[in-house]
């Protein structure tokens, strides 16, 4: 049974992330979408909101679950008996940061490999930050995220305006 972690902040989860999750589920027996608790970033959505969003977004993909983690990712990977960390790489611009993380994680735990997956090219420009920005400025984000997340984004920014 081969388990992989797919870590990130998912603020919010996008069609690009979901595409990578589907590809991971084709390769591994169990995929844990792993939500970082203590990221440096100040998130738009709370941890509970993001867990609920991810759970809804992955509900039709077998062998995928969501968990949160704090501390070092490789320690959590060891606890979960994961053999791999999945990262989506969209463009060369992602590479420096991803390579640095992969090599750091390998130094910390030689048993866990990082697997880079390319999402479908239709999502190659997409990230959560862009989605938040478009939604904050009143743009339609339904081509970037599931409809229920697009609605949650609208509600969030409407509340902020009040
Ligand atoms: O979606 P993101 O923000 O690019 O995800 C980054 C994340 C959460 C995967 C990364 O910051 C991480 O692994 N954090 C956990 C702390 C850790 O293990 N750091 C050492 C690896 S460089």
């Amino acid at each position: 049974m081969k388990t992989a972690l797919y870590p990130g902040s998912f603020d919010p989860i996008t069609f690009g992330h979901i595409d990578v999750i589907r590809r991971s589920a084709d390769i591994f027996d169990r995929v844990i979408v792993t939500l970082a608790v203590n990221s440096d970033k100040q998130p738009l959505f709370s941890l509970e909101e993001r867990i609920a969003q991810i759970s809804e977004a992955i509900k039709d993909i077998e062998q995928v679950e969501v968990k949160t983690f704090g501390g070092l990712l490789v320690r959590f990977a060891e606890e979960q008996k994961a053999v791999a960390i999945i990262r989506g790489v969209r463009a060369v611009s992602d590479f420096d940061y991803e390579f640095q993380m992969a090599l750091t994680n390998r130094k910390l735990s030689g048993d866990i490999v990082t697997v880079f997956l390319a999402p479908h090219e239709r999502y190659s420009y997409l990230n959560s930050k862009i989605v938040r920005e478009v939604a904050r400025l009143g743009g339609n984000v339904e081509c970037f995220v599931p409809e229920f997340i697009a609605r949650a984004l609208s509600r969030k920014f409407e509340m902020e305006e009040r």
Side-chain angles (χ1 to χ4, degrees):
M1 167 108 154
K2 290 211 185 300
T3 298
L5 301 187
Y6 179 44
S9 36
F10 305 104
D11 188 33
I13 190 167
T14 68
F15 284 140
H17 294 128
I18 297 167
D19 181 276
V20 170
I21 294 167
R22 286 189 193 284
R23 289 173 200 278
S24 310
D26 285 343
I27 305 172
F28 293 95
D29 304 306
R30 177 176 174 234
V31 177
I32 307 175
V33 180
T34 314
L35 187 52
V37 173
N38 52 357
S39 149
D40 296 341
K41 302 170 189 169
Q42 182 60 44
L44 175 67
F45 289 106
S46 71
L47 206 58
E48 292 70 26
E49 286 173 318
R50 283 177 287 154
I51 293 169
Q53 289 169 354
I54 296 167
S55 303
E56 177 64 23
I58 63 172
K59 69 175 188 223
D60 65 328
I61 316 174
E62 272 178 41
Q63 82 255 21
V64 181
E65 60 200 270
V66 58
K67 286 182 190 263
T68 57
F69 82 104
L72 277 180
L73 180 61
V74 289
R75 293 291 95 81
F76 185 71
E78 286 162 359
E79 272 167 47
Q80 298 297 318
K81 304 199 179 348
V83 295
I85 293 168
I86 309 281
R87 293 292 287 173
V89 177
R90 293 158 295 192
V92 176
S93 52
D94 283 339
F95 193 73
D96 274 353
Y97 171 59
E98 294 301 334
F99 198 58
Q100 188 180 27
M101 272 208 301
L103 294 189
T104 307
N105 285 333
R106 187 200 280 169
K107 192 83 187 162
L108 294 170
S109 176
D111 294 336
I112 297 160
V113 295
T114 296
V115 176
F116 295 125
L117 291 179
H120 194 284
E121 56 275 16
R122 79 168 75 101
Y123 306 125
S124 58
Y125 60 91
L126 188 57
N127 65 26
S128 300
K129 188 172 176 218
I130 293 275
V131 172
R132 291 196 303 271
E133 169 94 0
V134 173
R136 188 169 61 79
L137 298 171
N140 185 348
V141 291
E142 281 178 19
C143 53
F144 305 139
V145 293
E147 202 190 331
F148 72 93
I149 294 180
R151 284 198 303 271
L153 281 160
S154 305
R155 279 197 303 275
K156 193 64 99 177
F157 290 118
E158 273 167 23
M159 274 163 60
E160 275 189 9
E161 274 173 20
R162 279 186 207 148

